[in-house]
Amino acid sequence: MQTHIETIQKEFEEDFKNCFSSATLESLKIKYLGKKGPIQDLMKGLKEASGEDRPKLGKSINDLKVSIEAKLTELGRSLIAREEQQKLLAEKIDETLPGKKRFQGRKHPVNGTLDEIINILIAMGFTVEQGPDIDTDYYNFEVLNFPPEHPARDMQDTFYINKEVLLRTHTSNIQARVMESQKPPIRIIAPGKCFRNEAVTSRSHVFFHQVEAVYIDKNVSFSDLMGTLTDFMQKLFYKDIKVRFWPNYFPFVEPGLQVDIHCLNCKGSGCTLCKHTGWLEVAGAGMIHPEVLKNGGIDPEEYSGFAWGLGIERLVMLKNGIKDIRLFTENDIRFLNQFSAI
Ligand code: DAH
């Protein structure tokens, strides 16, 4: 039996010398240490050995088993390390290949301009408030001096959800809300989405954005309104841009105004963008109507205020020469990619 043990050992040494991969190593493990392997056979054969030889033979078998296990484990470690290194070498990167261009996300042009406007107004002392997109007839119309059946409601075609609830048609729905929740001096802006039940064309859409501004304090005057708006327009466009105010009717302001700026394209000399008038209409504004102040719980004898509403899509279109408002909602990456990542 001792010679048999030695033969197995020699055979193993031979196999071991020729083992160069972890796959061969696995098969050696099975061949020598597996259930049907020679070590198991030797163990079984031990029963037949004479009583006095048994301990010695048992030890030899065990020594052989332990040394095979140790050798295979050791070789296994170095084979794995070597194979990993070979894999890494094979994976070598060719740094002369041209790089892949990564797509960089950008702000939507409407959001970019909204952020710009908000930052200017915050620097001028306004804080940002948010009003609901789905609102009641009361806040969108009634409190703003549009009684039921008032013809001025026709100025804003409305999506009604039911008799009382609607999609807000303008950000002016914030006005009475801030009057109810804050005491003057009130100096807020409210950016947000608006909805109107209009035919979608290149110039009008059912969905657009506005920024509302409201300032209420003692002695707020018409010249404060004109001065603040002019300052704002000059910060948003360029330093000396001319701003013009016209009378216009909105039920919640008295007097009400239309605000124009010098054409961004021709600076006033006349071109197709401004239809040869030299001016572009950009906002509605006015002194807050005493009834609206009263509705908001503010005494019009003590306080006065101004408000304005600015359409964002129109501004972005004018600034960038965009001819179709529908482009803003089409998610066409070729269009959106043209705006800088601000
Ligand atoms: N809410 C008006 C609209 O969407 C715009 C507007 C006009 C807002 C005059 C105002 C304002 O705050 O004073 O047509």
Side-chain angles (χ1 to χ4, degrees), residues 156 169-172 175 196 210 212-213 250 252-253 257 284-286 307-309:
Q156 305 189 358
T169 56
H170 52 180
T171 45
S172 306
Q175 289 196 14
R196 289 197 197 168
Q210 287 186 343
E212 190 84 5
F250 301 98
F252 42 95
V253 278
L257 302 171
W308 79 67

Side-chain angles (χ1 to χ4, degrees), residues 170-203:
H170 52 180
T171 45
S172 306
N173 72 333
I174 196 74
Q175 289 196 14
R177 279 206 165 73
V178 289
M179 292 180 212
E180 285 166 1
S181 63
Q182 298 180 25
K183 293 242 161 315
I186 294 171
R187 224 185 273 116
I188 65 99
I189 53 169
K193 302 182 182 82
C194 305
F195 307 86
R196 289 197 197 168
N197 191 359
E198 293 194 24
V200 176
T201 68
S202 61
R203 317 200 106 244

